[in-house]
Amino acid sequence: MPGLSGRMSTVIKAKISKLLDRAEDPSETLEYSYQKQIELLQNVKKGIADVVTSKKRLQLQEQKLRDQVVKLDTQARQALAAGNEDLARVALERKNVAQTELQSLDSQIAQLEQQQQQMTESEQKLRAKIEQFRSKKEVIKAQYSAAEAQVRISEAATGVGEEMADVGLAMQRALDKTENMKARADAVQELEAAGTFEDLTQLGSGEDDIDRQLRELSSGSEVDAELARMKAELGAGSKSAGEIGAGSEAAAPAGDPAEAEQAGPSPSAGQAP
Amino acid sequence: MIVRIATEGQYEVPDDDAATLEQLDNDAVAACDAGDEQQFQATFTRLIEHVRDKGQPVPEDRLEPSDVILPPPDVSFEEAQAEFSGEGLIPG
């Protein structure tokens, strides 16, 4: 087949012959191949351990974000109780962003979970094939003439070699994905440390501007709704929503300055994109 | 005919299906060359599903090389376009 599958087969075959090249006679092919198989099995185990480590790291970060959400919520309540609605809004906006980030972390953790499972399955499959290869090589040695044994051995070795190349590929892809997540997690952590939480919205994976704007709109109205809810809970009503917010402007993110002048919660999603 | 879906496993597919697979495979390449990502994803998904649908998973105690190897189900358009040349998708 000349298409994608043909190209893929060519690449895999090149990989297998690279795996088996070093052996010159059939028995050497067997031993060399077997040794390679065992090596790869060790690598797969290491790969699984890496995935588990990354998962734990993300879970730790998830916990931090959860704490952050609680903290920002409390701060919003305190700000509102003190009559500083602008500050409350900033806190709620940040809480919203932290929650969005939390959702994305959750799905990353789920992905890692899935990868861990896939790699565990691959490991078991490869282990079974290696076991099969080991018993087969004894049968081949015992039952066949040298010439025939060579053909059968190289077929079996190619079969296992293909499995090895494929497990290697699956592992590489899993680890690449994990690396990407790590890089993203690091970036998030840096932003968090720098206190630029609001910039987190720009880290969304592969979304375009329209997605982002839509989300900003919905997050704006969510913030409004939550602010209203909090006010109702606190019984703060409209009397606190006066000019008291002036002091909070320094803490505000690059929002619409006009927003600070508005009294009471804005009915529209008033953030500048 | 044994078809491997890379990173997933081998399937024994009836020989009658070879023509369908080849057609889908060529269509996927054509979409790739034309830079039509949507068409590529649609065709490639059909190709993978056809193999899963018509094929029987090859038992683990069989050590045979595949006749055909398909790229991983989650292959990206960019990866497919990269022709899998050199080191390509396969780590050294």
Side-chain angles (χ1 to χ4, degrees), chain A residues 144-204:
Chain A
Y144 294 94
S145 69
E148 208 174 343
Q150 188 155 6
V151 173
R152 285 175 185 268
I153 284 167
S154 78
E155 197 190 57
T158 310
V160 181
E162 189 186 303
E163 192 71 34
M164 285 197 288
D166 198 34
V167 172
L169 173 63
M171 202 171 66
Q172 189 60 47
R173 290 174 79 78
L175 292 179
D176 283 352
K177 280 188 196 158
T178 311
E179 273 309 307
N180 285 342
M181 284 184 199
K182 259 192 222 161
R184 188 187 145 96
D186 285 346
V188 169
Q189 221 153 23
E190 270 171 38
L191 284 172
E192 208 177 345
T196 48
F197 226 19
E198 55 272 30
D199 283 351
L200 289 186
T201 42
Q202 285 165 17
L203 284 169

Short mmCIF file of all heavy atoms in Angstrom, two decimals, chain A residues 144-204:
data_model
loop_
_atom_site.label_atom_id
_atom_site.label_comp_id
_atom_site.label_asym_id
_atom_site.label_seq_id
_atom_site.Cartn_x
_atom_site.Cartn_y
_atom_site.Cartn_z
N TYR A 144 13.21 -27.91 14.11
CA TYR A 144 13.43 -27.59 12.70
C TYR A 144 14.89 -27.70 12.29
O TYR A 144 15.80 -27.56 13.11
CB TYR A 144 12.90 -26.19 12.40
CG TYR A 144 11.41 -26.09 12.54
CD1 TYR A 144 10.83 -25.68 13.72
CD2 TYR A 144 10.58 -26.45 11.46
CE1 TYR A 144 9.45 -25.61 13.86
CE2 TYR A 144 9.20 -26.39 11.59
CZ TYR A 144 8.65 -25.96 12.79
OH TYR A 144 7.29 -25.91 12.92
N SER A 145 15.05 -27.94 11.00
CA SER A 145 16.40 -27.93 10.43
C SER A 145 16.93 -26.50 10.51
O SER A 145 16.16 -25.55 10.62
CB SER A 145 16.35 -28.37 8.97
OG SER A 145 15.70 -27.37 8.21
N ALA A 146 18.22 -26.38 10.42
CA ALA A 146 18.85 -25.07 10.59
C ALA A 146 18.26 -24.03 9.64
O ALA A 146 17.94 -22.91 10.05
CB ALA A 146 20.35 -25.18 10.38
N ALA A 147 18.09 -24.42 8.37
CA ALA A 147 17.61 -23.46 7.37
C ALA A 147 16.19 -23.01 7.70
O ALA A 147 15.87 -21.82 7.65
CB ALA A 147 17.66 -24.08 5.98
N GLU A 148 15.35 -23.99 8.04
CA GLU A 148 13.97 -23.66 8.33
C GLU A 148 13.84 -22.87 9.62
O GLU A 148 13.03 -21.96 9.75
CB GLU A 148 13.14 -24.93 8.40
CG GLU A 148 11.69 -24.67 8.02
CD GLU A 148 10.90 -25.97 7.96
OE1 GLU A 148 11.50 -27.05 7.89
OE2 GLU A 148 9.66 -25.87 8.00
N ALA A 149 14.68 -23.27 10.57
CA ALA A 149 14.68 -22.57 11.86
C ALA A 149 14.98 -21.09 11.65
O ALA A 149 14.34 -20.22 12.24
CB ALA A 149 15.71 -23.19 12.79
N GLN A 150 15.90 -20.82 10.74
CA GLN A 150 16.29 -19.44 10.49
C GLN A 150 15.10 -18.60 10.01
O GLN A 150 14.87 -17.49 10.47
CB GLN A 150 17.40 -19.41 9.44
CG GLN A 150 17.99 -18.03 9.28
CD GLN A 150 19.41 -18.09 8.76
OE1 GLN A 150 19.90 -19.17 8.40
NE2 GLN A 150 20.06 -16.96 8.73
N VAL A 151 14.32 -19.21 9.09
CA VAL A 151 13.15 -18.51 8.55
C VAL A 151 12.14 -18.25 9.66
O VAL A 151 11.63 -17.13 9.82
CB VAL A 151 12.49 -19.35 7.42
CG1 VAL A 151 11.17 -18.70 7.00
CG2 VAL A 151 13.43 -19.48 6.25
N ARG A 152 11.87 -19.29 10.44
CA ARG A 152 10.85 -19.15 11.48
C ARG A 152 11.28 -18.21 12.59
O ARG A 152 10.48 -17.45 13.13
CB ARG A 152 10.51 -20.53 12.07
CG ARG A 152 9.66 -21.29 11.09
CD ARG A 152 9.38 -22.70 11.52
NE ARG A 152 8.66 -23.36 10.44
CZ ARG A 152 7.34 -23.39 10.36
NH1 ARG A 152 6.60 -22.82 11.28
NH2 ARG A 152 6.75 -24.00 9.35
N ILE A 153 12.56 -18.30 12.89
CA ILE A 153 13.07 -17.41 13.94
C ILE A 153 12.98 -15.96 13.50
O ILE A 153 12.54 -15.09 14.24
CB ILE A 153 14.53 -17.78 14.31
CG1 ILE A 153 14.52 -19.04 15.17
CG2 ILE A 153 15.21 -16.64 15.05
CD1 ILE A 153 15.87 -19.65 15.33
N SER A 154 13.35 -15.73 12.25
CA SER A 154 13.34 -14.33 11.85
C SER A 154 11.90 -13.82 11.75
O SER A 154 11.63 -12.65 12.02
CB SER A 154 14.12 -14.12 10.55
OG SER A 154 13.36 -14.52 9.46
N GLU A 155 10.97 -14.71 11.42
CA GLU A 155 9.57 -14.29 11.39
C GLU A 155 9.08 -13.93 12.80
O GLU A 155 8.47 -12.88 13.01
CB GLU A 155 8.68 -15.38 10.79
CG GLU A 155 7.34 -14.84 10.36
CD GLU A 155 6.35 -15.93 10.00
OE1 GLU A 155 6.08 -16.82 10.84
OE2 GLU A 155 5.84 -15.90 8.87
N ALA A 156 9.38 -14.84 13.73
CA ALA A 156 8.97 -14.58 15.12
C ALA A 156 9.64 -13.32 15.66
O ALA A 156 9.01 -12.49 16.32
CB ALA A 156 9.30 -15.79 16.00
N ALA A 157 10.92 -13.18 15.33
CA ALA A 157 11.65 -12.01 15.83
C ALA A 157 11.09 -10.73 15.23
O ALA A 157 10.99 -9.71 15.91
CB ALA A 157 13.14 -12.15 15.50
N THR A 158 10.70 -10.81 13.95
CA THR A 158 10.10 -9.63 13.32
C THR A 158 8.76 -9.31 13.96
O THR A 158 8.43 -8.14 14.19
CB THR A 158 9.93 -9.86 11.81
OG1 THR A 158 11.14 -10.34 11.28
CG2 THR A 158 9.53 -8.58 11.11
N GLY A 159 7.99 -10.38 14.24
CA GLY A 159 6.70 -10.18 14.90
C GLY A 159 6.85 -9.48 16.24
O GLY A 159 6.17 -8.51 16.53
N VAL A 160 7.80 -9.96 17.02
CA VAL A 160 8.03 -9.35 18.34
C VAL A 160 8.65 -7.97 18.16
O VAL A 160 8.31 -7.03 18.87
CB VAL A 160 8.93 -10.23 19.23
CG1 VAL A 160 9.12 -9.59 20.58
CG2 VAL A 160 8.29 -11.59 19.41
N GLY A 161 9.54 -7.88 17.16
CA GLY A 161 10.17 -6.59 16.89
C GLY A 161 9.14 -5.53 16.57
O GLY A 161 9.23 -4.39 17.02
N GLU A 162 8.13 -5.93 15.81
CA GLU A 162 7.06 -4.99 15.46
C GLU A 162 6.31 -4.55 16.71
O GLU A 162 6.02 -3.37 16.91
CB GLU A 162 6.11 -5.65 14.47
CG GLU A 162 5.10 -4.68 13.89
CD GLU A 162 4.07 -5.38 13.02
OE1 GLU A 162 4.46 -6.06 12.06
OE2 GLU A 162 2.87 -5.25 13.34
N GLU A 163 6.03 -5.53 17.56
CA GLU A 163 5.35 -5.22 18.81
C GLU A 163 6.20 -4.26 19.66
O GLU A 163 5.69 -3.31 20.25
CB GLU A 163 5.10 -6.53 19.58
CG GLU A 163 4.15 -6.40 20.75
CD GLU A 163 2.71 -6.18 20.30
OE1 GLU A 163 2.31 -6.74 19.26
OE2 GLU A 163 1.98 -5.43 20.99
N MET A 164 7.50 -4.53 19.65
CA MET A 164 8.40 -3.67 20.45
C MET A 164 8.41 -2.26 19.90
O MET A 164 8.34 -1.29 20.65
CB MET A 164 9.83 -4.23 20.42
CG MET A 164 10.02 -5.45 21.28
SD MET A 164 11.78 -5.73 21.59
CE MET A 164 12.33 -6.30 20.02
N ALA A 165 8.52 -2.16 18.57
CA ALA A 165 8.55 -0.83 17.95
C ALA A 165 7.25 -0.10 18.27
O ALA A 165 7.24 1.10 18.54
CB ALA A 165 8.72 -0.97 16.45
N ASP A 166 6.15 -0.84 18.26
CA ASP A 166 4.85 -0.23 18.49
C ASP A 166 4.68 0.21 19.95
O ASP A 166 4.19 1.30 20.22
CB ASP A 166 3.74 -1.20 18.08
CG ASP A 166 2.42 -0.48 17.88
OD1 ASP A 166 2.45 0.68 17.43
OD2 ASP A 166 1.38 -1.06 18.20
N VAL A 167 5.10 -0.64 20.85
CA VAL A 167 5.03 -0.25 22.27
C VAL A 167 5.92 0.96 22.51
O VAL A 167 5.56 1.89 23.23
CB VAL A 167 5.43 -1.43 23.20
CG1 VAL A 167 5.53 -0.96 24.64
CG2 VAL A 167 4.42 -2.55 23.10
N GLY A 168 7.10 0.94 21.84
CA GLY A 168 8.01 2.07 21.95
C GLY A 168 7.34 3.36 21.48
O GLY A 168 7.46 4.41 22.11
N LEU A 169 6.62 3.25 20.37
CA LEU A 169 5.92 4.41 19.83
C LEU A 169 4.82 4.90 20.78
O LEU A 169 4.71 6.10 21.06
CB LEU A 169 5.30 4.04 18.47
CG LEU A 169 4.40 5.07 17.81
CD1 LEU A 169 5.17 6.33 17.48
CD2 LEU A 169 3.77 4.51 16.54
N ALA A 170 4.04 3.94 21.29
CA ALA A 170 2.96 4.30 22.21
C ALA A 170 3.52 4.99 23.45
O ALA A 170 2.98 6.00 23.92
CB ALA A 170 2.18 3.05 22.63
N MET A 171 4.66 4.47 23.91
CA MET A 171 5.26 5.03 25.10
C MET A 171 5.77 6.45 24.84
O MET A 171 5.56 7.35 25.63
CB MET A 171 6.40 4.14 25.55
CG MET A 171 6.73 4.32 26.99
SD MET A 171 7.89 3.07 27.50
CE MET A 171 9.32 3.51 26.54
N GLN A 172 6.42 6.60 23.70
CA GLN A 172 6.95 7.91 23.34
C GLN A 172 5.82 8.95 23.28
O GLN A 172 5.94 10.06 23.78
CB GLN A 172 7.65 7.82 21.98
CG GLN A 172 8.42 9.07 21.61
CD GLN A 172 9.50 9.39 22.64
OE1 GLN A 172 10.26 8.49 23.03
NE2 GLN A 172 9.56 10.63 23.09
N ARG A 173 4.71 8.55 22.68
CA ARG A 173 3.59 9.49 22.55
C ARG A 173 3.00 9.84 23.91
O ARG A 173 2.68 10.98 24.18
CB ARG A 173 2.52 8.91 21.63
CG ARG A 173 2.96 8.87 20.19
CD ARG A 173 1.96 8.16 19.32
NE ARG A 173 0.80 8.98 18.97
CZ ARG A 173 0.82 9.93 18.04
NH1 ARG A 173 1.94 10.20 17.40
NH2 ARG A 173 -0.26 10.60 17.75
N ALA A 174 2.90 8.81 24.76
CA ALA A 174 2.36 9.06 26.11
C ALA A 174 3.28 10.02 26.86
O ALA A 174 2.81 10.97 27.50
CB ALA A 174 2.22 7.75 26.86
N LEU A 175 4.58 9.80 26.74
CA LEU A 175 5.52 10.65 27.47
C LEU A 175 5.55 12.07 26.91
O LEU A 175 5.67 13.03 27.66
CB LEU A 175 6.92 10.04 27.47
CG LEU A 175 7.04 8.74 28.27
CD1 LEU A 175 8.45 8.18 28.18
CD2 LEU A 175 6.65 8.95 29.73
N ASP A 176 5.41 12.19 25.58
CA ASP A 176 5.36 13.53 24.97
C ASP A 176 4.18 14.32 25.52
O ASP A 176 4.30 15.50 25.85
CB ASP A 176 5.23 13.43 23.45
CG ASP A 176 6.55 13.08 22.80
OD1 ASP A 176 7.58 13.07 23.51
OD2 ASP A 176 6.56 12.81 21.58
N LYS A 177 3.05 13.65 25.59
CA LYS A 177 1.86 14.31 26.13
C LYS A 177 2.08 14.73 27.57
O LYS A 177 1.72 15.83 27.98
CB LYS A 177 0.65 13.38 26.05
CG LYS A 177 0.03 13.32 24.68
CD LYS A 177 -1.26 12.53 24.72
CE LYS A 177 -1.67 12.13 23.31
NZ LYS A 177 -2.57 10.99 23.28
N THR A 178 2.69 13.83 28.33
CA THR A 178 2.97 14.14 29.73
C THR A 178 3.90 15.34 29.84
O THR A 178 3.70 16.21 30.68
CB THR A 178 3.61 12.91 30.40
OG1 THR A 178 2.83 11.77 30.09
CG2 THR A 178 3.65 13.07 31.89
N GLU A 179 4.90 15.38 28.96
CA GLU A 179 5.83 16.51 28.94
C GLU A 179 5.09 17.82 28.71
O GLU A 179 5.34 18.82 29.37
CB GLU A 179 6.89 16.33 27.83
CG GLU A 179 8.10 15.53 28.25
CD GLU A 179 8.73 16.02 29.54
OE1 GLU A 179 9.02 17.23 29.62
OE2 GLU A 179 8.89 15.22 30.46
N ASN A 180 4.18 17.80 27.74
CA ASN A 180 3.40 19.00 27.44
C ASN A 180 2.62 19.46 28.65
O ASN A 180 2.53 20.65 28.95
CB ASN A 180 2.43 18.74 26.29
CG ASN A 180 3.14 18.69 24.96
OD1 ASN A 180 4.26 19.17 24.85
ND2 ASN A 180 2.50 18.10 23.97
N MET A 181 2.03 18.49 29.34
CA MET A 181 1.25 18.83 30.53
C MET A 181 2.15 19.42 31.60
O MET A 181 1.78 20.36 32.29
CB MET A 181 0.57 17.59 31.08
CG MET A 181 -0.63 17.19 30.25
SD MET A 181 -1.43 15.80 31.03
CE MET A 181 -2.37 15.18 29.65
N LYS A 182 3.34 18.83 31.73
CA LYS A 182 4.29 19.33 32.73
C LYS A 182 4.65 20.77 32.42
O LYS A 182 4.68 21.61 33.31
CB LYS A 182 5.56 18.48 32.69
CG LYS A 182 5.64 17.45 33.79
CD LYS A 182 7.06 16.90 33.83
CE LYS A 182 7.05 15.40 34.03
NZ LYS A 182 8.31 14.76 33.64
N ALA A 183 4.94 21.03 31.14
CA ALA A 183 5.34 22.38 30.75
C ALA A 183 4.22 23.36 31.06
O ALA A 183 4.44 24.44 31.58
CB ALA A 183 5.66 22.41 29.26
N ARG A 184 3.00 22.93 30.78
CA ARG A 184 1.85 23.78 31.04
C ARG A 184 1.68 24.01 32.55
O ARG A 184 1.44 25.12 33.00
CB ARG A 184 0.61 23.12 30.45
CG ARG A 184 -0.60 24.00 30.47
CD ARG A 184 -1.83 23.22 30.03
NE ARG A 184 -2.97 23.68 30.78
CZ ARG A 184 -3.81 24.59 30.33
NH1 ARG A 184 -3.65 25.09 29.15
NH2 ARG A 184 -4.83 24.99 31.06
N ALA A 185 1.84 22.93 33.29
CA ALA A 185 1.69 23.03 34.74
C ALA A 185 2.74 23.98 35.31
O ALA A 185 2.44 24.79 36.19
CB ALA A 185 1.82 21.65 35.38
N ASP A 186 3.96 23.91 34.76
CA ASP A 186 5.02 24.82 35.21
C ASP A 186 4.66 26.26 34.91
O ASP A 186 4.85 27.15 35.74
CB ASP A 186 6.34 24.49 34.51
CG ASP A 186 6.96 23.23 35.08
OD1 ASP A 186 6.49 22.80 36.16
OD2 ASP A 186 7.88 22.67 34.47
N ALA A 187 4.14 26.47 33.70
CA ALA A 187 3.76 27.83 33.30
C ALA A 187 2.68 28.38 34.23
O ALA A 187 2.74 29.53 34.66
CB ALA A 187 3.26 27.83 31.86
N VAL A 188 1.72 27.53 34.56
CA VAL A 188 0.64 27.95 35.45
C VAL A 188 1.21 28.33 36.81
O VAL A 188 0.84 29.34 37.40
CB VAL A 188 -0.41 26.83 35.59
CG1 VAL A 188 -1.39 27.16 36.72
CG2 VAL A 188 -1.16 26.64 34.29
N GLN A 189 2.15 27.49 37.26
CA GLN A 189 2.73 27.73 38.57
C GLN A 189 3.48 29.06 38.61
O GLN A 189 3.41 29.79 39.58
CB GLN A 189 3.71 26.60 38.89
CG GLN A 189 3.63 26.15 40.32
CD GLN A 189 4.05 24.71 40.45
OE1 GLN A 189 4.77 24.19 39.59
NE2 GLN A 189 3.60 24.04 41.48
N GLU A 190 4.20 29.35 37.52
CA GLU A 190 4.93 30.61 37.45
C GLU A 190 3.99 31.79 37.51
O GLU A 190 4.23 32.77 38.20
CB GLU A 190 5.76 30.68 36.16
CG GLU A 190 7.15 30.12 36.34
CD GLU A 190 7.87 29.99 35.02
OE1 GLU A 190 7.70 30.89 34.17
OE2 GLU A 190 8.57 28.99 34.83
N LEU A 191 2.91 31.69 36.73
CA LEU A 191 1.93 32.76 36.72
C LEU A 191 1.33 32.96 38.10
O LEU A 191 1.13 34.07 38.57
CB LEU A 191 0.82 32.45 35.72
CG LEU A 191 1.19 32.65 34.26
CD1 LEU A 191 0.08 32.13 33.37
CD2 LEU A 191 1.45 34.12 33.98
N GLU A 192 1.06 31.84 38.71
CA GLU A 192 0.49 31.87 40.05
C GLU A 192 1.43 32.60 41.01
O GLU A 192 1.03 33.46 41.77
CB GLU A 192 0.29 30.44 40.51
CG GLU A 192 -0.82 30.24 41.49
CD GLU A 192 -0.95 28.75 41.81
OE1 GLU A 192 -0.38 27.93 41.07
OE2 GLU A 192 -1.60 28.44 42.80
N ALA A 193 2.71 32.23 40.89
CA ALA A 193 3.72 32.83 41.76
C ALA A 193 3.83 34.33 41.49
O ALA A 193 4.03 35.12 42.40
CB ALA A 193 5.07 32.15 41.52
N ALA A 194 3.72 34.71 40.23
CA ALA A 194 3.84 36.12 39.87
C ALA A 194 2.56 36.90 40.16
O ALA A 194 2.52 38.11 39.99
CB ALA A 194 4.19 36.23 38.39
N GLY A 195 1.55 36.20 40.60
CA GLY A 195 0.29 36.87 40.95
C GLY A 195 -0.51 37.34 39.76
O GLY A 195 -1.42 38.14 39.89
N THR A 196 -0.17 36.86 38.59
CA THR A 196 -0.91 37.28 37.39
C THR A 196 -1.94 36.21 37.03
O THR A 196 -1.95 35.69 35.94
CB THR A 196 0.03 37.48 36.20
OG1 THR A 196 0.89 36.35 36.13
CG2 THR A 196 0.83 38.73 36.35
N PHE A 197 -2.76 35.95 37.98
CA PHE A 197 -3.72 34.88 37.79
C PHE A 197 -4.64 35.10 36.61
O PHE A 197 -5.04 34.18 35.92
CB PHE A 197 -4.53 34.74 39.07
CG PHE A 197 -4.66 33.32 39.50
CD1 PHE A 197 -3.78 32.37 39.02
CD2 PHE A 197 -5.65 32.94 40.36
CE1 PHE A 197 -3.89 31.06 39.40
CE2 PHE A 197 -5.76 31.62 40.75
CZ PHE A 197 -4.88 30.69 40.28
N GLU A 198 -4.96 36.37 36.38
CA GLU A 198 -5.94 36.64 35.33
C GLU A 198 -5.43 36.26 33.93
O GLU A 198 -6.20 36.05 33.02
CB GLU A 198 -6.40 38.10 35.36
CG GLU A 198 -5.28 39.11 35.29
CD GLU A 198 -4.77 39.42 36.68
OE1 GLU A 198 -4.84 38.55 37.56
OE2 GLU A 198 -4.33 40.56 36.89
N ASP A 199 -4.10 36.18 33.80
CA ASP A 199 -3.55 35.80 32.50
C ASP A 199 -3.74 34.32 32.19
O ASP A 199 -3.46 33.88 31.09
CB ASP A 199 -2.04 36.11 32.46
CG ASP A 199 -1.83 37.58 32.26
OD1 ASP A 199 -2.84 38.27 31.99
OD2 ASP A 199 -0.69 38.04 32.38
N LEU A 200 -4.19 33.58 33.15
CA LEU A 200 -4.37 32.15 32.94
C LEU A 200 -5.32 31.84 31.80
O LEU A 200 -5.21 30.82 31.15
CB LEU A 200 -4.93 31.49 34.21
CG LEU A 200 -3.97 31.38 35.37
CD1 LEU A 200 -4.61 30.60 36.49
CD2 LEU A 200 -2.70 30.70 34.93
N THR A 201 -6.24 32.75 31.55
CA THR A 201 -7.20 32.50 30.47
C THR A 201 -6.48 32.34 29.14
O THR A 201 -7.01 31.73 28.23
CB THR A 201 -8.18 33.68 30.33
OG1 THR A 201 -7.45 34.88 30.47
CG2 THR A 201 -9.28 33.59 31.36
N GLN A 202 -5.29 32.89 29.04
CA GLN A 202 -4.59 32.81 27.76
C GLN A 202 -3.89 31.48 27.55
O GLN A 202 -3.35 31.22 26.49
CB GLN A 202 -3.55 33.93 27.67
CG GLN A 202 -4.23 35.26 27.42
CD GLN A 202 -3.31 36.42 27.69
OE1 GLN A 202 -2.10 36.24 27.78
NE2 GLN A 202 -3.88 37.58 27.85
N LEU A 203 -3.93 30.62 28.56
CA LEU A 203 -3.23 29.34 28.43
C LEU A 203 -4.10 28.24 27.85
O LEU A 203 -3.64 27.15 27.63
CB LEU A 203 -2.71 28.88 29.79
CG LEU A 203 -1.49 29.62 30.28
CD1 LEU A 203 -1.23 29.27 31.72
CD2 LEU A 203 -0.29 29.27 29.42
N GLY A 204 -5.37 28.55 27.62
CA GLY A 204 -6.29 27.53 27.12
C GLY A 204 -5.69 26.81 25.93
O GLY A 204 -5.08 27.42 25.07
#
